[in-house]
Amino acid sequence: MKYLPEFDKQTGEALAKELHRQQTTLEMIPSENFVSMAVLEALGSVATNKYAEGYPGKRYYGGCEHIDTIEQLAIDRAKKLFGADHVNVQPLSGAPANIAVYFALLEPGDTILGMDLSHGGHLTHGHPVTHMAKIFNFVRYKANIETGKIDFDQLREMAIEHKPKLILAGYSAYPRDLDYKAFQKIADEVGAMTMADVAHLAGMIAAGELNNPVPIFDVVTTTTHKTLRGPRGGMIMCKKKHAKKIDKSIFPGLQGGPHENVIAAKAVAFKEALQPDFKEYAKQIKTNAKALAENLLKHDFKLITGGTDNHLLLIDVTNKNVSGHQAEQALDAAGITVNKNMIPDDPRSPLDPSGIRLGTPALTTRGMHESEMKTIGNWINEAIDNHDNSVVLEHIKSEIAELTKKFPLYNEL
Ligand code: DSN
């Protein structure tokens, strides 16, 4: 940083500390990642100065010729990555992307069948605390409580009973791949449309490492900053027949001027995801998650669904005599960043649930492999066993700081 520390010492210092935190700890929140320097450059570019309401070739402002090029690049690359008929790269994030889809496809009062939050669903899939729950009628399916996996028999029964207009697949705490054809079959049976929210999985889908709903479903939403390793933002992909409605729902329906610096960064990230080494990256995320799961199972951790097919692990930590909150705090003190998380039908509260959720996308970006996962699994076990022993936690933190030196991050900054 050159200009910021001089002009604004406080913000500059906080940013420098955040950089140091990212460099010296283990980032294991499964929805986080580290973008490339090229993505950072695009994010901090002059595209932030430009208003460009509308879409490429059809704007409400002058001077949009270069912005059009940028946005079209992002659209074309996303189409290629996912095999999409139509793409809108303007959603500011995942929540507005989902809201725009509800308003594009449905009328107020219509029924949406989505997954319960404590079973791995997402707040924006109709949790009662959200505004959308006041407008649409959300009904919630659950995972099988024994296996933790989606119970398609129950889902079908609920679809027949509630006749939803939209069936929603896609989760933020579900460690398995999804059978999108099974969802579509049920939707066809009851005449519902289908929507997948692949925010967590997008990078792995783009790399061909997980099933792709885009050719099957009506609409697919995603964020671009998780496994896709782009800037913080959202995106909607859909069948051609929904294109106009989706675009109108984002603008002018929901949003104003698109954040074109973020769209430029999306274009860069999509180009990165089209390179052969991104496929290797996505494969390694999975290999690392499996290696970590294996190690934690050896330490008697209770993994929801017994393991993982993707980038994340959901762990019930109560057999270790800690709550999710206590585990998160102990791991934080040891230099391992995870988040507390509800487990299916959690008897505890969201602020102090029974579980933690962790994943491997960011560590894999740093270049870590299976052997590091084994060491990290041992540290997680040691930290949770010693959750009230600050000496042990500090010691793990110093060992982690040493390990992170072997996997440099943002040395250029
Ligand atoms: N907040 C994101 C996550 O951590 O999964 C989902 O929006």
Side-chain angles (χ1 to χ4, degrees):
M1 278 188 292
K2 195 167 156 196
Y3 301 98
L4 183 59
E6 252 175 56
F7 174 69
D8 181 349
K9 197 162 170 265
Q10 289 152 302
T11 308
E13 264 179 20
L15 278 173
K17 282 183 185 162
E18 173 57 14
L19 172 63
H20 182 73
R21 187 194 69 80
Q22 292 188 15
Q23 288 169 326
T24 55
T25 59
L26 296 176
E27 184 49 75
M28 298 193 74
I29 291 176
S31 47
E32 294 189 12
N33 213 331
F34 302 117
V35 299
S36 69
M37 288 304 295
V39 168
L40 272 187
E41 265 179 9
L43 263 177
S45 69
V46 294
T48 194
N49 298 330
K50 191 73 197 94
Y51 257 122
E53 268 113 323
Y55 290 99
K58 243 181 161 180
R59 304 281 189 182
Y60 291 84
Y61 285 79
C64 287
E65 58 272 32
H66 307 302
I67 293 300
D68 277 4
T69 305
I70 290 167
E71 191 165 332
Q72 197 57 51
L73 277 171
I75 291 168
D76 293 342
R77 289 172 182 169
K79 278 185 176 174
K80 198 165 166 193
L81 269 177
F82 294 94
D85 287 355
H86 180 77
V87 175
N88 188 310
V89 293
Q90 293 192 2
L92 301 177
S93 206
N98 287 346
I99 291 167
V101 174
Y102 303 148
F103 280 100
L105 302 182
L106 308 172
E107 297 297 328
D110 280 350
T111 298
I112 303 172
L113 181 57
M115 173 87 110
D116 190 272
L117 180 69
S118 81
H119 288 239
H122 191 253
L123 271 177
T124 61
H125 300 172
H127 191 277
V129 299
T130 63
H131 295 323
M132 290 308 106
K134 293 183 192 129
I135 294 173
F136 300 103
N137 173 37
F138 285 91
V139 283
R140 276 168 279 278
Y141 58 94
K142 293 185 168 189
N144 179 302
I145 203 69
E146 299 299 322
T147 64
K149 297 187 182 176
I150 291 166
D151 182 343
F152 280 102
D153 291 335
Q154 186 221 23
L155 201 157
R156 181 171 174 269
E157 276 168 27
M158 288 189 76
I160 290 168
E161 183 188 343
H162 295 282
K163 297 186 183 35
K165 260 203 168 164
L166 185 68
I167 295 182
L168 224 169
Y171 321 104
S172 56
Y174 185 69
R176 297 292 175 185
D177 200 358
L178 297 177
D179 180 353
Y180 298 103
K181 285 185 187 148
F183 281 99
Q184 190 61 51
K185 196 167 164 226
I186 294 170
D188 288 343
E189 197 180 334
V190 299
M193 287 177 283
T194 42
M195 168 177 170
D197 175 347
V198 299
H200 268 257
L201 312 176
M204 297 164 85
I205 292 171
E209 289 298 316
L210 290 176
N211 294 331
N212 184 2
V214 174
I216 303 168
F217 271 33
D218 285 284
V219 183
V220 177
T221 60
T222 186
T223 51
T224 49
H225 51 275
K226 298 185 174 102
T227 50
L228 199 46
R229 213 164 52 179
R232 191 160 292 280
M235 176 163 86
I236 304 174
M237 299 169 270
C238 67
K239 296 263 179 279
K240 210 177 226 125
K241 64 181 176 191
H242 301 302
K244 270 198 184 133
K245 279 188 182 169
I246 292 289
D247 283 353
K248 275 174 93 172
S249 188
I250 282 288
F251 175 80
L254 184 67
Q255 295 183 177
H259 295 184
E260 293 294 347
N261 57 323
V262 181
I263 291 176
K266 287 175 187 173
V268 176
F270 298 162
K271 181 165 180 176
E272 290 174 353
L274 283 163
Q275 307 306 311
D277 62 355
F278 191 83
K279 190 168 171 49
E280 290 309 310
Y281 164 64
K283 204 179 204 166
Q284 191 62 44
I285 292 178
K286 255 167 67 170
T287 308
N288 282 350
K290 279 197 196 318
L292 185 63
E294 218 171 275
N295 179 280
L296 291 174
L297 284 169
K298 278 190 196 143
H299 286 302
D300 263 341
F301 277 96
K302 201 172 152 202
L303 270 54
I304 303 296
T305 79
T308 179
D309 293 334
N310 56 30
H311 62 304
L312 73 80
L313 278 64
L314 181 61
I315 308 174
D316 177 351
V317 288
T318 51
N319 67 331
K320 299 281 181 183
N321 299 319
V322 286
S323 68
H325 178 63
Q326 285 171 317
E328 179 194 281
Q329 284 198 319
L331 291 169
D332 233 348
I336 301 173
T337 314
V338 306
N339 68 274
K340 55 182 166 291
N341 213 95
M342 303 280 272
I343 59 166
D345 284 346
D346 202 324
R348 301 179 62 93
S349 74
L351 277 176
D352 195 12
S354 301
I356 54 172
R357 185 188 69 151
L358 48 89
T360 55
L363 297 185
T364 308
T365 294
R366 289 192 82 153
M368 294 188 189
H369 287 87
E370 293 95 304
S371 61
E372 283 79 34
M373 295 306 124
K374 200 172 155 197
T375 311
I376 291 166
N378 294 343
W379 279 329
I380 291 175
N381 182 50
E382 198 184 345
I384 290 182
D385 269 356
N386 293 280
H387 66 277
D388 48 8
N389 185 335
S390 58
V391 177
V392 173
L393 299 177
E394 269 301 318
H395 180 68
I396 298 173
K397 192 171 187 174
S398 63
E399 289 188 315
I400 285 174
E402 279 308 305
L403 176 77
T404 57
K405 284 184 194 155
K406 295 189 202 146
F407 299 92
L409 179 72
Y410 298 133
N411 272 355
E412 306 86 337
L413 293 177

